[in-house]
Amino acid sequence: MQKNSNMSKRRQSAFLEGKEDYIAKRDEIVTIAARKFKDNGFRATSFSQISQHAGLERATMYYYFGSKEELFRECLRHGVKANIIECEKIFEDTGLEDREKLEAIIRQLMKAYDENYPNMYVYIQEEMKRIANENSPWAKEISAQTQKFQQLVLGLLSSLKSSGKIRQDVPVSLAANAIFGMLNWTHRWYHPDGVYKASEVSDAFVKIFFGGMASSE
């Protein structure tokens, strides 16, 4: 216990000191962990496997991260929050119509998946439900961010439906699930070096959704 406590203090001290080589190695480990989580799943990936791929002894890994769970949290920390901030900026832009806002949010999320690949996909792939059921402050914060995004989309769809700009015979909740389904399912096939660019994917999704939801009036 004393040994773990000492390592924890060393890790916190090194992080706060913020030396370039230490931060660079942490970033490298996070990248490796995200890829392993994406390929093999969070539960099937061990802390030892990550340390091996990072070229570190398991004991040395604790100098950078205290656990596999801490690594997972670091994978998500930047991507999820940064995406929500961008989506809120779009939502609050008074120069955009509601449809333009929703289109921009769809494109923003796909952009976030691309720029934070594969980190954000790890969350979608298998951990969303588990995190939502956790009571830790971190899990609550991530869940709140996810719900905030969902509410932005629901709010825009409700406004579009009320103004008659999308079809009336599809419930808003189902329309929202169609958007989330298209975007989130990309974790099964999208890769930044794949056939389609993120912008091409989001453009197609916008056309599919608004084509299907076009008002007949």
Side-chain angles (χ1 to χ4, degrees), residues 71-83:
L71 261 170
F72 175 71
R73 294 178 183 184
E74 189 66 16
C75 285
L76 299 184
R77 186 167 64 88
H78 294 294
V80 173
K81 291 182 180 180
N83 177 60

Side-chain angles (χ1 to χ4, degrees), residues 110-123:
M110 194 63 222
K111 179 182 177 183
Y113 288 161
D114 176 73
E115 292 180 347
N116 295 280
Y117 184 90
N119 302 38
M120 287 182 67
Y121 279 148
V122 172
Y123 176 44

Side-chain angles (χ1 to χ4, degrees), residues 1-74:
M1 183 66 70
Q2 183 64 36
K3 183 178 179 180
N4 290 339
S5 177
N6 289 338
M7 180 58 77
S8 177
K9 290 178 180 178
R10 287 184 60 204
R11 182 170 61 250
Q12 291 175 12
S13 177
F15 181 76
L16 292 173
E17 190 175 351
K19 286 185 177 180
E20 186 175 338
D21 57 344
Y22 181 82
I23 298 301
K25 190 61 179 181
R26 273 179 58 93
D27 290 345
E28 178 189 343
I29 294 168
V30 168
T31 299
I32 291 169
R35 289 173 181 165
K36 298 296 290 182
F37 293 154
K38 177 71 170 59
D39 292 343
N40 304 325
F42 177 80
R43 292 174 180 81
T45 301
S46 70
F47 201 58
S48 295
Q49 288 172 336
I50 297 169
S51 64
Q52 181 180 358
H53 279 79
L56 298 173
E57 295 291 335
R58 181 184 172 93
T60 306
M61 269 285 286
Y62 287 108
Y63 179 56
Y64 296 94
F65 291 96
S67 66
K68 184 175 74 169
E69 184 70 22
E70 183 182 340
L71 261 170
F72 175 71
R73 294 178 183 184
E74 189 66 16

Side-chain angles (χ1 to χ4, degrees), residues 168-197:
Q168 303 294 300
D169 58 342
V170 177
V172 167
S173 59
L174 289 182
N177 284 336
I179 292 174
F180 301 143
M182 285 193 298
L183 288 163
N184 291 348
W185 192 253
T186 58
H187 85 85
R188 297 291 296 271
W189 56 267
Y190 179 76
H191 191 283
D193 297 326
V195 176
Y196 303 107
K197 297 178 181 178

